[in-house]
Amino acid sequence: MKIKKLALKQFTVFDEADFEFCDGINIFIGANGTGKSHLLKIMYSLMKANEEADTEREKKMQQASPEDWMGQKVSHVFRPVGEGFQRLISRRIGRATANVDLVTDIGEISLRLTSQGNLYLDKNTLKPKQRSIFIPSREVLSICSSLRSAYETVNLNFDETYYDLAKELLRPTLRGPRGEKAGKMIKPLEAIINGMVYEENGVFYVKQAGGHIAIEAHLLAEGWRKIASLCRLILNGSLFKNSILFWDEPEANLNPQLIKPVCDILRKLAATGVQIFVSTHDYLLTNELSLASEYSDRSSKGLPSLVRFIGLVRDAENVTGKQVGDTLPEIKDNPILAAFTRHYDEEEELLDKATGVKGETTTK
């Protein structure tokens, strides 16, 4: 299953916006406050709520209505103050309604949020379950077991994407042919962390090459913990054919030299049928994914170059527009490139001044 379209009206920073997605890797770029994370979270909320509808956790809701279980997920992911849906509506005077419409290739979901704090599920034809994974910008691997336990017993000020990821990380690993295929896929990532990730009594370790030393996840660098988390999600089948990955700022706490391997694994996942949504501020990540589309020789070894860039622009209050392209140069209003260009121009100016002063001194 693939998400095809998303339409928003008066939802958070979006006055009115619609998006069409590719089946591969969709990359949201834009300045802070343009709603990139909100796009990931609302799509994830709807997909995950639909996935969880018949689980034991939902059965404990004492036959809650569809609005109840969908509303609970949206509320727990966005965490508005007082759990009020009205705070997810574009702020304006008077009564207002926010609309969210998500379309997939096998069904759609439509929501309404009112300024009275109500959520209405107008349509849900998306019956088949589909695994959706959300990776937040901060890593979870090192606190996985304690986070899951605490979230289920006390009121933690974490949005539910952290809890959901903890549950996914603790799933047992695959066996048989699927496990072997997953193991081959993550070899480049295991080379980065110099070992293999495993779980024992709720604690994650990385067993170093040679198998003689195991290091607790919380003793690893945070960038390595994010790589280890990706390994685990692939090994346990959370990220496999037809699942959907939402990843908020993959570049956070990663050394720039790790960006290319991460891009490579994203393309490999897309090749297996995983649809991917990424929000990012990173120059290397966006350009690496764009090069795969711009130059055919970068799409070798069966790795798809199917990507879509979506650039978001906002004024003081709302998102005012978007640009869409299959390559990064098609996005004309690119704050990432603009910042690097300003830095380059400033460096050139300083170098010219320094060279000029040196030259005058030498002449004298």
Side-chain angles (χ1 to χ4, degrees):
M1 185 192 68
K2 309 296 180 187
I3 298 175
K4 294 297 186 180
K5 298 178 181 179
L6 177 69
L8 303 173
K9 185 175 182 180
Q10 295 184 25
F11 181 78
T12 65
V13 298
F14 298 95
D15 187 30
E16 191 164 358
D18 58 272
F19 305 90
E20 293 189 10
F21 305 116
C22 73
D23 292 349
I25 307 172
N26 299 274
I27 306 108
F28 295 107
I29 62 174
N32 290 124
T34 52
K36 300 183 299 298
S37 296
H38 286 187
L39 289 172
L40 298 188
K41 285 186 172 183
I42 190 58
M43 287 190 286
Y44 172 77
S45 296
L46 303 190
M47 298 300 298
K48 195 66 177 179
N50 201 64
E51 174 190 332
E52 292 177 341
D54 297 325
T55 65
E56 188 62 31
R57 179 167 176 253
E58 298 301 337
K59 290 177 183 177
K60 292 178 181 179
M61 295 177 64
Q62 299 179 354
Q63 299 179 343
S65 69
E67 281 84 0
D68 287 336
W69 55 257
M70 187 69 73
Q72 178 171 311
K73 195 66 185 181
V74 173
S75 179
H76 288 182
V77 167
F78 279 90
R79 289 287 185 182
V81 173
E83 307 288 309
F85 296 116
Q86 64 269 26
R87 300 194 63 80
L88 299 181
I89 302 173
S90 296
R91 308 298 167 84
R92 60 186 63 209
I93 298 175
R95 294 187 176 184
T97 300
N99 296 89
V100 179
D101 297 287
L102 182 144
V103 179
T104 76
D105 53 0
I106 59 173
E108 58 185 292
I109 298 175
S110 295
L111 289 184
R112 276 184 297 130
L113 307 175
T114 72
S115 53
Q116 289 78 40
N118 299 316
L119 179 147
Y120 296 99
L121 182 60
D122 292 331
K123 181 187 292 186
N124 184 7
T125 59
L126 189 61
K127 299 304 179 185
K129 305 295 184 295
Q130 192 70 42
R131 178 159 290 144
S132 297
I133 307 296
F134 192 106
I135 303 179
S137 57
R138 289 180 287 181
E139 68 86 25
V140 173
L141 193 73
S142 61
I143 57 172
C144 200
S145 184
S146 57
L147 173 62
R148 178 179 178 178
S149 176
Y151 198 94
E152 292 172 350
T153 55
V154 298
N155 185 22
L156 291 182
N157 192 26
F158 279 90
D159 74 61
E160 198 155 276
T161 62
Y162 291 88
Y163 170 69
D164 290 345
L165 181 58
K167 290 192 297 181
E168 293 292 343
L169 288 168
L170 288 167
R171 288 168 54 86
T173 56
L174 297 170
R175 296 182 180 274
R178 291 183 68 200
E180 293 176 4
K181 185 175 181 180
K184 291 178 181 178
M185 181 181 291
I186 65 167
K187 287 297 182 185
L189 298 180
E190 289 181 335
I192 292 172
I193 60 177
N194 192 32
M196 57 179 291
V197 59
Y198 72 97
E199 177 265 334
E200 188 175 286
N201 298 322
V203 178
F204 284 95
Y205 301 84
V206 171
K207 184 177 291 185
Q208 299 291 281
H212 302 298
I213 301 175
I215 301 177
E216 299 91 323
H218 60 269
L219 297 180
L220 295 172
E222 185 164 349
W224 278 23
R225 295 200 293 265
K226 295 186 76 171
I227 297 295
S229 297
L230 200 56
C231 288
R232 181 70 181 188
L233 293 171
I234 294 171
L235 283 173
N236 67 21
S238 295
L239 287 178
F240 220 76
K241 184 178 181 180
N242 294 325
S243 58
I244 302 175
L245 170 62
F246 302 91
W247 197 349
D248 197 7
E249 298 184 11
E251 70 275 9
N253 296 301
L254 287 186
N255 187 287
Q257 67 182 352
L258 301 183
I259 296 298
K260 187 179 187 307
V262 167
C263 289
D264 288 343
I265 200 68
L266 289 177
R267 292 170 59 210
K268 287 181 180 179
L269 287 169
T272 68
V274 177
Q275 188 179 26
I276 299 169
F277 295 88
V278 167
S279 71
T280 182
H281 296 282
D282 192 70
Y283 177 85
L284 289 177
L285 187 142
T286 52
N287 277 273
E288 183 64 34
L289 291 173
S290 183
L291 289 176
S293 291
E294 295 174 50
Y295 300 99
S296 59
D297 61 338
R298 298 297 294 272
S299 304
S300 59
K301 299 181 181 179
L303 301 181
S305 60
L306 186 59
V307 299
R308 180 162 298 172
F309 292 91
I310 302 171
L312 302 171
V313 182
R314 70 169 292 177
D315 59 16
E317 295 184 355
N318 298 102
V319 172
T320 58
K322 69 178 189 300
Q323 299 176 72
V324 180
D326 294 331
T327 63
L328 200 54
E330 296 176 59
I331 308 299
K332 302 306 179 183
D333 193 343
N334 183 347
I336 302 172
L337 182 59
F340 273 83
T341 300
R342 285 194 297 270
H343 174 77
Y344 178 82
D345 290 344
E346 182 179 2
E347 185 178 15
E348 285 288 296
E349 183 179 348
L350 291 171
L351 181 61
D352 289 343
K353 287 181 179 179
T355 303
V357 170
K358 183 178 180 180
E360 292 176 6
T361 303
T362 303
T363 302
K364 292 179 182 178

